[in-house]
Structure formats: structure tokens, C-alpha cells
Amino acid sequence: MYKLLILLTFGALFLISCSSKKDLIPDPVPVVETKGLKEVSPFPFGASVSINLLKTRVPYENVIRKEYNSVTAENAMKIGGLHPSENTFYWTDADYLVTFAIGLGIRVHGHTLIWHSSLPSWVTNFQGDAVAWENMFKTHIQTIVTHFKGNVTSWDVVNEAFNDDGTLRSTIWSQHLGNDYVARAFQYAHEADPNALLFYNEYGHEYSSAKRTAVNNMAADFKTRGIPIDGLGLQMHTNQNQTDANLITAINTAAQTGLKIHISELDISLNQANNQSLVLTDAHLTLQAAKYKVIVKAFAALPTAQRYGITTWNVGDADSWLRSFYNRPDWPLPFDDNYNRKPAYQGILDGLK
Ligand code: G3I
């Protein structure tokens, strides 16, 4: 009887101690660890990256680490970024991104060797005859491709060479090098790194049939002439009002070339009308999610070998070029200003199903 009393007392004390411990220790919050896009997507998923944000904003870096297996420098590999004066190359920022990507074992897509825009003054002021221009053009391309050889998997060799009506854009390059400069840019890049995949990058496939026809004709011409081209970049800076049919046609028409397809700068504006007082609503977000789904679904339906990947143009809404370029409120990306996943992110997942 005495032993039983002792047992009951200890038992009661044990129960009391357990319950009081339970009161002190909160129930563990279930950790919902979802996968990143790179684990869900059967093709590479990426974003363009601002080196400054990557260096200074931890949540930004964390999203990139978690979500993506391909990165493109938003600006650091442009002519002004890498080649600020004729005899100076600046590698530091671009190398930072490459080192970051190597550490993660993810792909770097180079953007862009030749473009008519964002040119440093040494190019716009360049003086010389046709030979000097050709030499400058070739040296620019080959110095950069050689520097990143083995670490940058692919390049936008030429960006935006066509007008919306399908004619070749008159640029400083076409004026000094002749209309076949695009082909020679690909040849020079290939000489410098025969393993790099070479892309022609353009916008407007979703609204200009003349432009997409011109791009496809160029690709066919390159194939006939043996000019080394591996893929087409479709920038896809689009908006909520673009029709599903146009978005799908853009992707499928480009794929008719048989080349690899990179949706290379995807964003979906909610404020293409430049309304300064626009307020974001659930309806916007739902429509945007539906557009992301349409694009991803059409891309996912391409033959595996042609799916080079989808890259959004930066990560969170606050990082988007649209806000600074147009000085307007806009929310074009799959992550919000605080790097939370938006309905657009779910739209991407739905498109991958
Ligand atoms: O870095 C300077 C900073 O020092 C200076 O104080 C500031 C003042 O304006 O400018 C900063 O540079 C800006 C740079 O972005 C970095 O923020 C340039 O002015 C600005 O022109 C530049 O804009 C970039 C634009 O291309 C032009 O190169 C955008 O970030 C970039 O998103 C945009 O990307 C292009 C693709 O390359 C090609 N396809 C279209 C796409 C959107 O325009």
C-alpha cells in the first residue's frame, strides 16, 4: 500500500511536470518547405540578376538560391558594363555573378554581346574606316567570349536587330559594318568559344508577325549559310491584355525553326496604360497568373531539346525595370516587393502541370 502511494505520487508529479513543460514550450510551427521552381520545372528556370542587389539584399539572394538554376546579368554583361572604354574591360561585377553561379552549380546565360542601345560613348564616338570598325567589333566580341569561356554556357550574341515591321534596324553597327554584321557576330563568337550556345534575342514576337517572320527567315538563312546559331531568345516583355493566342503563336512560330527557344526576359505588366494612380487588385493578380500559366504551358509543350528555359526579367516587382523606366506603379513578376510568391508564381506551377 505504501509502495503504491509512492508510485502514484511520483506518477502524478511526472504528469504535472510534463504538462507544465508543455505549457512552456510552444507547439512547433509546421515548416512548409516547398520546392523551388528549379526542382519543379523540367527545363531550366531563371531570372536576370542585378549584381548590386545580389551583393546587398539577402532576401533577393535567398530567392535566387532557392528558385533558379539559370541566371542572366540584367546589365553587367552589356557593352557598357564589360567594355566601358575602348581599351578597358571591367570584369568584376560579371565575374561576381559567374562565381556565385558556379558555387550553386547553375547556368549563366550571357546578355548581350551586340546591341544598339546602352552604348558607351567610346562606341558612339568611334572613328575609323571599315577595317577599324570590323576590328573593334570582332575584338569586343572575342575578348568577352574568351574571358567567360567554359563558365558562360550561352550568349545573346545580337539583341534587337529588327524593327517591328520586319526590316533590319538601322544602327551604328549596321551603318558601319553592313547588314550582314549579325551573321559575323555569330561567327566571331563561335570562333572564340565553339562550345557556347549562341542565341539571337528579340522582343515583339507576340505582337508582330512581321518581326517573327523576319527572325525565322534570318535563322533559315543562317542555317543555309552555315552560320552558327543555336537558339532564339524571345524576350516576352508582355502585359495582361496580350491575347493567349498571340502568346502561344509567338512561342510555336519561333520553335518552327528547330532552334532552342529561350523565353529570355519574361515579365507581364499590369499597367501598360501608364496609370500613375493604379491600385493593385486581386483581379489583376488573377489575370496575371493566368497569363503566366499560358506562356509556361505553351513553352512546356515544346520538344524537350528545344526548351532552353524561361528567364524572368529580375526577381521581385520592386526590382523590375518597368517601374524605373516608365516611372509608374507596376507588378510584373512572380514575386512581390517583399519576395513573397504571388499568384503569378502559382500560374507558373499550373503551367508546368
Ligand atoms: O548604374 C547607373 C547608376 O549609377 C545611375 O545612377 C543611374 C541613373 O539613371 O543609372 C544606372 O544605370 C541604369 C541601369 O539600368 C542600372 O540600373 C541605366 O541608367 C538604365 O538605362 C539601365 O536600364 C536597363 C536597360 O535595359 C538599358 O540597358 C534596365 O535595367 C534593364 O532591365 C534593361 O533590360 C533590357 C534588356 O537588356 C534588353 N531587352 C529589353 C530590356 C528592358 O528594357
PDB file of all heavy atoms in Angstrom, residues 74-75 78 111 115 118 159-160 235 237 265 313 321, ligand 1:
ATOM      1  N   GLU A  74      21.394  41.264 -65.583  1.00  0.00           N
ATOM      2  CA  GLU A  74      20.452  42.225 -66.177  1.00  0.00           C
ATOM      3  C   GLU A  74      21.211  43.300 -66.956  1.00  0.00           C
ATOM      4  O   GLU A  74      20.779  43.716 -68.024  1.00  0.00           O
ATOM      5  CB  GLU A  74      19.581  42.880 -65.102  1.00  0.00           C
ATOM      6  CG  GLU A  74      18.542  43.816 -65.712  1.00  0.00           C
ATOM      7  CD  GLU A  74      17.669  44.507 -64.688  1.00  0.00           C
ATOM      8  OE1 GLU A  74      18.016  44.510 -63.493  1.00  0.00           O
ATOM      9  OE2 GLU A  74      16.625  45.049 -65.086  1.00  0.00           O
ATOM     10  N   ASN A  75      22.331  43.732 -66.429  1.00  0.00           N
ATOM     11  CA  ASN A  75      23.098  44.799 -67.095  1.00  0.00           C
ATOM     12  C   ASN A  75      24.611  44.556 -67.150  1.00  0.00           C
ATOM     13  O   ASN A  75      25.287  45.132 -67.992  1.00  0.00           O
ATOM     14  CB  ASN A  75      22.843  46.140 -66.381  1.00  0.00           C
ATOM     15  CG  ASN A  75      21.433  46.659 -66.640  1.00  0.00           C
ATOM     16  OD1 ASN A  75      21.016  46.819 -67.787  1.00  0.00           O
ATOM     17  ND2 ASN A  75      20.682  46.894 -65.569  1.00  0.00           N
ATOM     18  N   LYS A  78      26.509  43.766 -70.452  1.00  0.00           N
ATOM     19  CA  LYS A  78      26.289  44.598 -71.643  1.00  0.00           C
ATOM     20  C   LYS A  78      27.592  45.306 -72.012  1.00  0.00           C
ATOM     21  O   LYS A  78      28.560  45.316 -71.229  1.00  0.00           O
ATOM     22  CB  LYS A  78      25.186  45.622 -71.362  1.00  0.00           C
ATOM     23  CG  LYS A  78      23.817  44.965 -71.259  1.00  0.00           C
ATOM     24  CD  LYS A  78      22.736  45.933 -70.866  1.00  0.00           C
ATOM     25  CE  LYS A  78      21.405  45.200 -70.794  1.00  0.00           C
ATOM     26  NZ  LYS A  78      20.346  46.017 -70.183  1.00  0.00           N
ATOM     27  N   HIS A 111      24.284  38.090 -71.591  1.00  0.00           N
ATOM     28  CA  HIS A 111      23.435  39.082 -72.269  1.00  0.00           C
ATOM     29  C   HIS A 111      24.133  40.427 -72.186  1.00  0.00           C
ATOM     30  O   HIS A 111      24.348  40.900 -71.084  1.00  0.00           O
ATOM     31  CB  HIS A 111      22.078  39.144 -71.568  1.00  0.00           C
ATOM     32  CG  HIS A 111      21.202  40.273 -72.042  1.00  0.00           C
ATOM     33  ND1 HIS A 111      20.374  40.153 -73.133  1.00  0.00           N
ATOM     34  CD2 HIS A 111      20.992  41.534 -71.558  1.00  0.00           C
ATOM     35  CE1 HIS A 111      19.700  41.279 -73.292  1.00  0.00           C
ATOM     36  NE2 HIS A 111      20.060  42.139 -72.368  1.00  0.00           N
ATOM     37  N   TRP A 115      24.418  45.137 -79.169  1.00  0.00           N
ATOM     38  CA  TRP A 115      23.105  45.794 -79.051  1.00  0.00           C
ATOM     39  C   TRP A 115      23.296  47.228 -79.498  1.00  0.00           C
ATOM     40  O   TRP A 115      24.383  47.801 -79.335  1.00  0.00           O
ATOM     41  CB  TRP A 115      22.649  45.733 -77.575  1.00  0.00           C
ATOM     42  CG  TRP A 115      21.222  46.119 -77.309  1.00  0.00           C
ATOM     43  CD1 TRP A 115      20.186  46.144 -78.204  1.00  0.00           C
ATOM     44  CD2 TRP A 115      20.668  46.531 -76.044  1.00  0.00           C
ATOM     45  NE1 TRP A 115      19.027  46.524 -77.569  1.00  0.00           N
ATOM     46  CE2 TRP A 115      19.283  46.769 -76.252  1.00  0.00           C
ATOM     47  CE3 TRP A 115      21.189  46.709 -74.767  1.00  0.00           C
ATOM     48  CZ2 TRP A 115      18.439  47.187 -75.226  1.00  0.00           C
ATOM     49  CZ3 TRP A 115      20.345  47.119 -73.742  1.00  0.00           C
ATOM     50  CH2 TRP A 115      18.977  47.355 -73.969  1.00  0.00           C
ATOM     51  N   SER A 118      22.135  51.416 -75.057  1.00  0.00           N
ATOM     52  CA  SER A 118      23.012  51.448 -73.876  1.00  0.00           C
ATOM     53  C   SER A 118      24.485  51.373 -74.259  1.00  0.00           C
ATOM     54  O   SER A 118      25.269  50.672 -73.623  1.00  0.00           O
ATOM     55  CB  SER A 118      22.678  50.291 -72.923  1.00  0.00           C
ATOM     56  OG  SER A 118      21.464  50.516 -72.288  1.00  0.00           O
ATOM     57  N   ASN A 159      21.223  41.489 -80.040  1.00  0.00           N
ATOM     58  CA  ASN A 159      19.944  41.798 -79.411  1.00  0.00           C
ATOM     59  C   ASN A 159      19.207  42.855 -80.233  1.00  0.00           C
ATOM     60  O   ASN A 159      19.781  43.892 -80.563  1.00  0.00           O
ATOM     61  CB  ASN A 159      20.232  42.348 -77.993  1.00  0.00           C
ATOM     62  CG  ASN A 159      18.997  42.486 -77.145  1.00  0.00           C
ATOM     63  OD1 ASN A 159      18.138  41.608 -77.147  1.00  0.00           O
ATOM     64  ND2 ASN A 159      18.906  43.579 -76.398  1.00  0.00           N
ATOM     65  N   GLU A 160      17.961  42.536 -80.604  1.00  0.00           N
ATOM     66  CA  GLU A 160      17.036  43.542 -81.165  1.00  0.00           C
ATOM     67  C   GLU A 160      17.515  44.161 -82.478  1.00  0.00           C
ATOM     68  O   GLU A 160      17.514  45.384 -82.624  1.00  0.00           O
ATOM     69  CB  GLU A 160      16.753  44.633 -80.124  1.00  0.00           C
ATOM     70  CG  GLU A 160      16.199  44.087 -78.820  1.00  0.00           C
ATOM     71  CD  GLU A 160      16.082  45.137 -77.722  1.00  0.00           C
ATOM     72  OE1 GLU A 160      16.376  46.314 -77.977  1.00  0.00           O
ATOM     73  OE2 GLU A 160      15.701  44.766 -76.596  1.00  0.00           O
ATOM     74  N   GLN A 235      12.084  37.745 -75.800  1.00  0.00           N
ATOM     75  CA  GLN A 235      12.132  38.499 -74.546  1.00  0.00           C
ATOM     76  C   GLN A 235      10.829  38.371 -73.767  1.00  0.00           C
ATOM     77  O   GLN A 235      10.832  38.174 -72.565  1.00  0.00           O
ATOM     78  CB  GLN A 235      12.439  39.969 -74.829  1.00  0.00           C
ATOM     79  CG  GLN A 235      13.817  40.194 -75.417  1.00  0.00           C
ATOM     80  CD  GLN A 235      14.140  41.671 -75.594  1.00  0.00           C
ATOM     81  OE1 GLN A 235      13.426  42.556 -75.126  1.00  0.00           O
ATOM     82  NE2 GLN A 235      15.229  41.949 -76.286  1.00  0.00           N
ATOM     83  N   HIS A 237       8.493  40.724 -72.953  1.00  0.00           N
ATOM     84  CA  HIS A 237       8.045  41.787 -72.054  1.00  0.00           C
ATOM     85  C   HIS A 237       6.598  42.063 -72.467  1.00  0.00           C
ATOM     86  O   HIS A 237       6.335  42.860 -73.367  1.00  0.00           O
ATOM     87  CB  HIS A 237       8.899  43.047 -72.231  1.00  0.00           C
ATOM     88  CG  HIS A 237      10.314  42.852 -71.803  1.00  0.00           C
ATOM     89  ND1 HIS A 237      10.654  42.696 -70.478  1.00  0.00           N
ATOM     90  CD2 HIS A 237      11.457  42.773 -72.503  1.00  0.00           C
ATOM     91  CE1 HIS A 237      11.961  42.533 -70.385  1.00  0.00           C
ATOM     92  NE2 HIS A 237      12.473  42.575 -71.607  1.00  0.00           N
ATOM     93  N   GLU A 265      13.331  37.121 -71.164  1.00  0.00           N
ATOM     94  CA  GLU A 265      13.201  38.330 -70.327  1.00  0.00           C
ATOM     95  C   GLU A 265      11.747  38.494 -69.860  1.00  0.00           C
ATOM     96  O   GLU A 265      11.204  39.598 -69.849  1.00  0.00           O
ATOM     97  CB  GLU A 265      13.636  39.573 -71.113  1.00  0.00           C
ATOM     98  CG  GLU A 265      15.039  39.476 -71.674  1.00  0.00           C
ATOM     99  CD  GLU A 265      15.522  40.745 -72.357  1.00  0.00           C
ATOM    100  OE1 GLU A 265      14.889  41.800 -72.189  1.00  0.00           O
ATOM    101  OE2 GLU A 265      16.542  40.679 -73.071  1.00  0.00           O
ATOM    102  N   TRP A 313      12.544  38.673 -66.044  1.00  0.00           N
ATOM    103  CA  TRP A 313      13.455  39.827 -66.064  1.00  0.00           C
ATOM    104  C   TRP A 313      13.480  40.473 -64.687  1.00  0.00           C
ATOM    105  O   TRP A 313      12.751  41.377 -64.391  1.00  0.00           O
ATOM    106  CB  TRP A 313      13.074  40.798 -67.171  1.00  0.00           C
ATOM    107  CG  TRP A 313      14.252  41.598 -67.646  1.00  0.00           C
ATOM    108  CD1 TRP A 313      14.371  42.952 -67.665  1.00  0.00           C
ATOM    109  CD2 TRP A 313      15.494  41.087 -68.172  1.00  0.00           C
ATOM    110  NE1 TRP A 313      15.608  43.306 -68.164  1.00  0.00           N
ATOM    111  CE2 TRP A 313      16.320  42.184 -68.487  1.00  0.00           C
ATOM    112  CE3 TRP A 313      15.993  39.801 -68.408  1.00  0.00           C
ATOM    113  CZ2 TRP A 313      17.613  42.046 -69.014  1.00  0.00           C
ATOM    114  CZ3 TRP A 313      17.278  39.661 -68.932  1.00  0.00           C
ATOM    115  CH2 TRP A 313      18.061  40.769 -69.221  1.00  0.00           C
ATOM    116  N   TRP A 321      12.612  46.649 -64.135  1.00  0.00           N
ATOM    117  CA  TRP A 321      12.962  47.824 -64.934  1.00  0.00           C
ATOM    118  C   TRP A 321      11.729  48.658 -65.262  1.00  0.00           C
ATOM    119  O   TRP A 321      11.834  49.862 -65.506  1.00  0.00           O
ATOM    120  CB  TRP A 321      13.627  47.388 -66.240  1.00  0.00           C
ATOM    121  CG  TRP A 321      12.692  46.708 -67.192  1.00  0.00           C
ATOM    122  CD1 TRP A 321      12.166  45.442 -67.074  1.00  0.00           C
ATOM    123  CD2 TRP A 321      12.119  47.249 -68.388  1.00  0.00           C
ATOM    124  NE1 TRP A 321      11.321  45.168 -68.118  1.00  0.00           N
ATOM    125  CE2 TRP A 321      11.281  46.254 -68.947  1.00  0.00           C
ATOM    126  CE3 TRP A 321      12.244  48.464 -69.053  1.00  0.00           C
ATOM    127  CZ2 TRP A 321      10.558  46.447 -70.132  1.00  0.00           C
ATOM    128  CZ3 TRP A 321      11.533  48.654 -70.242  1.00  0.00           C
ATOM    129  CH2 TRP A 321      10.697  47.656 -70.761  1.00  0.00           C
TER     130      TRP A 321
HETATM  131  O1  G3I B   1      24.034  52.217 -62.797  1.00  0.00           O
HETATM  132  C1  G3I B   1      23.573  53.539 -63.082  1.00  0.00           C
HETATM  133  C2  G3I B   1      23.615  54.378 -61.855  1.00  0.00           C
HETATM  134  O2  G3I B   1      24.940  54.535 -61.462  1.00  0.00           O
HETATM  135  C3  G3I B   1      22.958  55.721 -62.169  1.00  0.00           C
HETATM  136  O3  G3I B   1      22.887  56.485 -61.014  1.00  0.00           O
HETATM  137  C4  G3I B   1      21.549  55.527 -62.716  1.00  0.00           C
HETATM  138  C5  G3I B   1      20.893  56.841 -63.112  1.00  0.00           C
HETATM  139  O4  G3I B   1      19.985  56.666 -64.172  1.00  0.00           O
HETATM  140  O5  G3I B   1      21.631  54.734 -63.853  1.00  0.00           O
HETATM  141  C6  G3I B   1      22.150  53.446 -63.588  1.00  0.00           C
HETATM  142  O6  G3I B   1      22.177  52.705 -64.759  1.00  0.00           O
HETATM  143  C7  G3I B   1      20.919  52.275 -65.229  1.00  0.00           C
HETATM  144  C8  G3I B   1      20.947  50.767 -65.301  1.00  0.00           C
HETATM  145  O7  G3I B   1      19.752  50.307 -65.888  1.00  0.00           O
HETATM  146  C9  G3I B   1      21.082  50.120 -63.935  1.00  0.00           C
HETATM  147  O8  G3I B   1      20.003  50.424 -63.140  1.00  0.00           O
HETATM  148  C10 G3I B   1      20.711  52.874 -66.590  1.00  0.00           C
HETATM  149  O9  G3I B   1      20.522  54.271 -66.469  1.00  0.00           O
HETATM  150  C11 G3I B   1      19.492  52.262 -67.234  1.00  0.00           C
HETATM  151  O10 G3I B   1      19.396  52.693 -68.591  1.00  0.00           O
HETATM  152  C12 G3I B   1      19.611  50.766 -67.225  1.00  0.00           C
HETATM  153  O11 G3I B   1      18.417  50.229 -67.743  1.00  0.00           O
HETATM  154  C13 G3I B   1      18.482  48.908 -68.205  1.00  0.00           C
HETATM  155  C14 G3I B   1      18.081  48.881 -69.679  1.00  0.00           C
HETATM  156  O12 G3I B   1      17.994  47.548 -70.131  1.00  0.00           O
HETATM  157  C15 G3I B   1      19.088  49.603 -70.564  1.00  0.00           C
HETATM  158  O13 G3I B   1      20.334  48.952 -70.576  1.00  0.00           O
HETATM  159  C16 G3I B   1      17.499  48.085 -67.383  1.00  0.00           C
HETATM  160  O14 G3I B   1      17.995  47.982 -66.031  1.00  0.00           O
HETATM  161  C17 G3I B   1      17.374  46.689 -67.967  1.00  0.00           C
HETATM  162  O15 G3I B   1      16.345  45.989 -67.315  1.00  0.00           O
HETATM  163  C18 G3I B   1      17.023  46.793 -69.454  1.00  0.00           C
HETATM  164  O16 G3I B   1      16.990  45.484 -69.970  1.00  0.00           O
HETATM  165  C19 G3I B   1      16.596  45.385 -71.347  1.00  0.00           C
HETATM  166  C20 G3I B   1      17.384  44.232 -71.948  1.00  0.00           C
HETATM  167  O17 G3I B   1      18.750  44.445 -71.779  1.00  0.00           O
HETATM  168  C21 G3I B   1      17.037  44.060 -73.432  1.00  0.00           C
HETATM  169  N1  G3I B   1      15.611  43.904 -73.612  1.00  0.00           N
HETATM  170  C22 G3I B   1      14.771  44.954 -73.007  1.00  0.00           C
HETATM  171  C23 G3I B   1      15.095  45.095 -71.527  1.00  0.00           C
HETATM  172  C24 G3I B   1      14.193  46.120 -70.881  1.00  0.00           C
HETATM  173  O18 G3I B   1      14.441  47.384 -71.407  1.00  0.00           O
END
